[in-house]
């Protein structure tokens, strides 16, 4: 690696010396830095956050964003209807519960488009220019044509169509077993701008390889907020200050392993208490609780766990000044997208949750502590892969490329980026059964987001190892 491509040495030194890495420097040093950081925020210093919404299982892109021009629609109905007239095709425009028409700013000759009927709140964001669609994104090593794919004449992503491996490729540019993700690598680059680097990479959905950096450790929160060690706040009625469990866990030791374990535990306790004091509460006096969403199949109202994850993210963003953070990467997720059967009902319910959660998060950010933060927070979707255009009778099978949404005030919204693929079989991007060969790589998609986030060209090359193989580094969907 050339010197110009190496992370800034001062930044590396800061990271090495921070308590969240080596455990040698007292946590109080980071606390002391909060005062200066808070003053900087008060003076109007910028804040940005990236939020990844990962849809585990492989979202069916062909029923999420649809081409509705007559030729495309006729092919769609024909291919998605199988023998016995079983169909996973959605009702047409104008039908009861029919697809929702959208009009992108950039017209594509002879094409018209729509969204799944369950995505009405997301359609409102799209129509309001706060959401965009990036067409046919997926893991690639180099630009790949159908002929090259069939011949195996270019490097291909390993273990295509495998859930675990493709989830890892999306998150880390490597198959299952990867240790560091591109969200964590971004966090490595920008952690030094935060007074408490603990809170740079945050997951509200458990451990995710996307969020793991070489230096930056992902911090996990629950929908209830900061997670404390069980029994630590009170035990047998004793207050935390005299808690014997805390004394045992944080006591100094001669044994080096025990000593380091105590340092890590003490650091975690301090971080949890700092975060608990900084996060706004949920509900009255804090971040409003999400409303219930409407279950498409029944019309009944139900709680949305995905919206609750976004609420935790919003509560943490609200505490950014107290935490002294200027850049944060977040992770939320929803599972169940592996729709091999029962797709019509299952997929509708999942997309209703996605749209409801995104609309709730957008509304919450529009007036967070009296400020509109929508231009400073960008949410993007990701998933294992798309699915086959063909139906297996009651569902779809594993695919490759897929369409994705980017939401936020800094998004060049109300548009579809990239040439929307043909709605047919056997076309130039068909890898088989209508599975799409991606036109855009995950790394181009991620690099566009990371550039907006503030990474330099050399930083981007470090974060996305295959980016140099693609002529276009910025897909143009961010301001």
């Amino acid at each position: 690696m050339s010197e110009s491509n190496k992370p800034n040495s001062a930044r590396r030194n800061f990271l090495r010396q921070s308590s969240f890495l080596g455990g040698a420097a007292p946590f109080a040093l980071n606390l002391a830095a909060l005062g200066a950081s808070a003053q900087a925020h008060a003076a109007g210093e910028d804040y940005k956050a990236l939020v990844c919404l990962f849809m585990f299982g492989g979202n069916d892109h062909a029923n999420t964003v649809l081409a509705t021009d007559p030729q495309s629609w006729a092919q769609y109905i024909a291919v998605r209807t199988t023998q016995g007239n079983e169909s996973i095709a959605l009702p047409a425009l104008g039908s009861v519960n029919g697809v929702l028409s959208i009009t992108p700013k950039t017209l594509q000759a002879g094409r018209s488009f729509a969204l799944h009927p369950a995505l009405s709140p997301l359609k409102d964001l799209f129509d309001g220019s706060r959401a965009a669609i990036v067409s046919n994104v997926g893991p690639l090593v180099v630009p790949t044509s159908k002929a090259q794919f069939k011949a195996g004449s270019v490097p291909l992503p390993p273990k295509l169509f495998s859930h675990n491996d493709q989830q890892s490729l999306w998150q880390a540019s490597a198959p299952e077993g990867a240790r560091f993700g591109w969200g964590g690598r971004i966090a490595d680059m920008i952690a030094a701008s935060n007074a408490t680097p603990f809170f740079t990479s945050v997951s509200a959905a458990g451990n995710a390889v996307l969020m793991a950096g070489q230096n930056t450790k992902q911090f996990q929160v629950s929908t209830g907020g900061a997670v404390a060690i069980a029994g630590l706040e009170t035990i047998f009625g004793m207050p935390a200050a005299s808690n014997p469990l805390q004394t045992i866990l944080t006591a100094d030791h001669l044994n080096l392993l025990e000593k380091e374990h105590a340092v890590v535990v003490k650091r975690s306790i301090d971080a949890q208490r700092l975060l608990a004091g900084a996060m706004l509460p949920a509900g009255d006096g804090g971040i409003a609780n999400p409303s219930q969403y409407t279950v498409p199949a029944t019309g009944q109202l139900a709680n949305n766990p995905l919206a609750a994850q976004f609420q935790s993210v919003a509560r943490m963003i609200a505490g950014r000044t107290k935490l002294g953070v200027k850049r944060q990467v977040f992770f939320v997720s929803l599972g169940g997208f592996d729709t091999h059967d029962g797709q019509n009902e299952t997929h509708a319910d999942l997309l209703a949750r996605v749209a409801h959660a995104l609309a709730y998060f957008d509304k919450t950010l529009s007036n967070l502590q009296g400020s509109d933060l929508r231009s400073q927070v960008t949410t993007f979707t990701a998933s294992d892969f798309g699915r086959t255009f063909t139906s297996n009778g009651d569902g779809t099978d594993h695919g490759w490329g897929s369409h994705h949404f980017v939401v936020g005030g800094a998004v060049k919204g109300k548009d579809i980026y990239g040439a929307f693929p043909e709605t047919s079989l056997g076309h130039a991007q068909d890898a088989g059964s209508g599975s799409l060969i991606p036109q855009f790589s995950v790394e181009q998609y991620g690099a566009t987001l990371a550039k907006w986030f503030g990474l330099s060209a050399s930083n981007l090359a470090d974060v996305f190892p295959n980016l140099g193989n693609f002529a276009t580094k910025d897909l143009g969907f961010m301001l």
Side-chain angles (χ1 to χ4, degrees):
M1 181 186 299
S2 67
E3 287 299 320
S4 62
N5 286 337
K6 291 182 180 179
N8 180 273
S9 60
R11 179 173 295 166
R12 291 199 310 272
N13 289 337
F14 178 91
L15 292 173
R16 276 196 294 266
Q17 293 166 8
S18 295
S19 67
F20 83 115
L21 287 178
F27 189 79
L29 291 180
N30 282 332
L31 297 180
L34 291 179
S37 181
Q39 291 176 4
H41 277 289
E45 189 168 335
D46 67 326
Y47 171 85
K48 286 185 178 180
L50 286 172
V51 184
C52 174
L53 163 53
F54 204 95
M55 300 178 288
F56 281 100
N59 180 47
D60 177 38
H61 62 283
N63 271 13
T64 301
V65 184
L66 308 91
T68 56
D69 50 275
Q71 181 177 349
S72 296
W73 192 257
Q75 285 288 319
Y76 170 77
I77 295 296
V79 174
R80 294 220 136 183
T81 302
T82 58
Q83 291 183 353
N85 289 323
E86 284 188 288
S87 178
I88 59 167
L90 299 171
L93 284 167
S95 304
V96 176
N97 297 322
V99 295
L100 307 172
S101 177
I102 56 171
T103 304
K105 292 177 182 177
T106 304
L107 300 180
Q108 301 195 23
R111 311 298 296 276
S112 59
F113 303 100
L115 299 178
H116 190 288
L119 291 176
S120 180
L122 188 51
K123 169 181 160 57
D124 291 341
L125 294 175
F126 184 90
D127 291 343
S129 296
R130 293 197 305 282
I133 296 162
V134 186
S135 173
N136 193 11
V137 185
L140 287 172
V141 180
V142 297
T144 301
S145 69
K146 182 174 180 177
Q148 290 169 328
F149 168 68
K150 295 293 186 183
S153 58
V154 296
L156 296 173
K159 302 182 180 179
L160 287 169
F161 316 113
S162 157
H163 281 296
N164 292 352
D165 294 292
Q166 298 310 301
Q167 290 166 10
S168 184
L169 278 164
W170 256 93
Q171 297 183 45
S173 303
E176 186 177 21
R179 295 174 56 201
F180 310 117
W182 56 265
R185 293 195 291 267
I186 290 173
D188 283 342
M189 298 291 179
I190 52 85
S193 66
N194 293 334
T196 48
F198 276 91
F199 307 116
T200 303
S201 174
V202 182
S203 174
N207 189 59
V209 69
L210 176 73
M211 307 301 286
Q214 289 184 297
N215 298 318
T216 308
K217 311 302 179 187
Q218 59 184 299
F219 190 94
Q220 296 183 30
V221 296
S222 72
T223 53
V227 181
I229 297 174
L232 199 62
E233 294 305 313
T234 59
I235 185 169
F236 304 124
M238 298 179 181
S242 58
N243 191 321
L245 176 60
Q246 177 170 329
T247 302
I248 293 169
L249 291 174
T250 60
D252 196 12
H253 297 273
L254 294 177
N255 180 279
L256 292 180
L257 181 60
E258 292 177 319
K259 186 180 187 73
E260 182 60 21
H261 178 266
V263 169
V264 171
V265 171
K266 175 64 165 61
R267 191 168 63 233
S268 298
I269 292 170
D270 289 342
Q272 180 272 322
R273 288 177 178 162
L274 175 61
L275 181 58
M279 289 180 76
L280 281 191
D284 293 341
I287 303 300
N289 292 322
S291 63
Q292 294 182 309
Y293 81 105
T294 302
V295 180
T298 65
Q300 296 179 337
L301 295 176
N303 293 330
N304 185 354
L306 179 60
Q309 292 178 44
F310 274 107
Q311 182 184 36
S312 288
V313 173
R315 292 174 60 198
M316 197 161 181
I317 291 174
R320 65 197 182 282
T321 300
K322 289 184 178 180
L323 295 175
V325 290
K326 295 170 57 179
R327 293 290 185 272
Q328 290 181 286
V329 184
F330 293 95
F331 184 87
V332 298
S333 72
L334 180 64
F337 286 88
D338 194 21
T339 50
H340 289 284
D341 51 40
Q343 175 166 302
N344 285 350
E345 182 173 329
T346 300
H347 195 228
D349 184 64
L350 292 167
L351 292 184
R353 296 186 193 196
V354 167
H356 171 263
L358 288 171
Y360 162 75
F361 192 51
D362 178 81
K363 181 179 179 180
T364 300
L365 292 174
S366 70
N367 186 21
L368 193 66
Q369 299 171 300
S371 299
D372 186 344
L373 293 183
R374 289 178 295 181
S375 293
Q376 295 163 264
V377 180
T378 299
T379 303
F380 62 96
T381 64
S383 191
D384 316 18
F385 35 62
R387 304 191 74 82
T388 55
F389 185 42
T390 57
S391 169
N392 60 23
D394 194 26
T396 50
D397 297 317
H398 299 179
W400 190 354
S402 188
H403 312 316
H404 286 283
F405 296 101
V406 188
V407 180
V411 176
K412 296 178 184 177
K414 201 179 181 182
D415 221 342
I416 297 175
Y417 290 83
F420 200 83
E422 292 183 32
T423 304
S424 63
L425 296 174
H427 58 80
Q429 292 173 297
D430 182 3
S433 300
S435 174
L436 295 177
I437 300 170
Q439 66 173 318
F440 296 136
S441 72
V442 173
E443 301 202 349
Q444 290 172 287
Y445 181 61
T448 305
L449 294 161
K451 181 181 177 182
W452 167 79
F453 204 51
L455 269 66
S456 68
S458 61
N459 289 155
L460 293 175
D462 285 339
V463 172
F464 302 101
N466 295 319
L467 186 61
N469 297 334
F470 300 89
T472 303
K473 311 294 191 294
D474 184 342
L475 300 182
F477 55 79
M478 298 299 296
L479 293 173

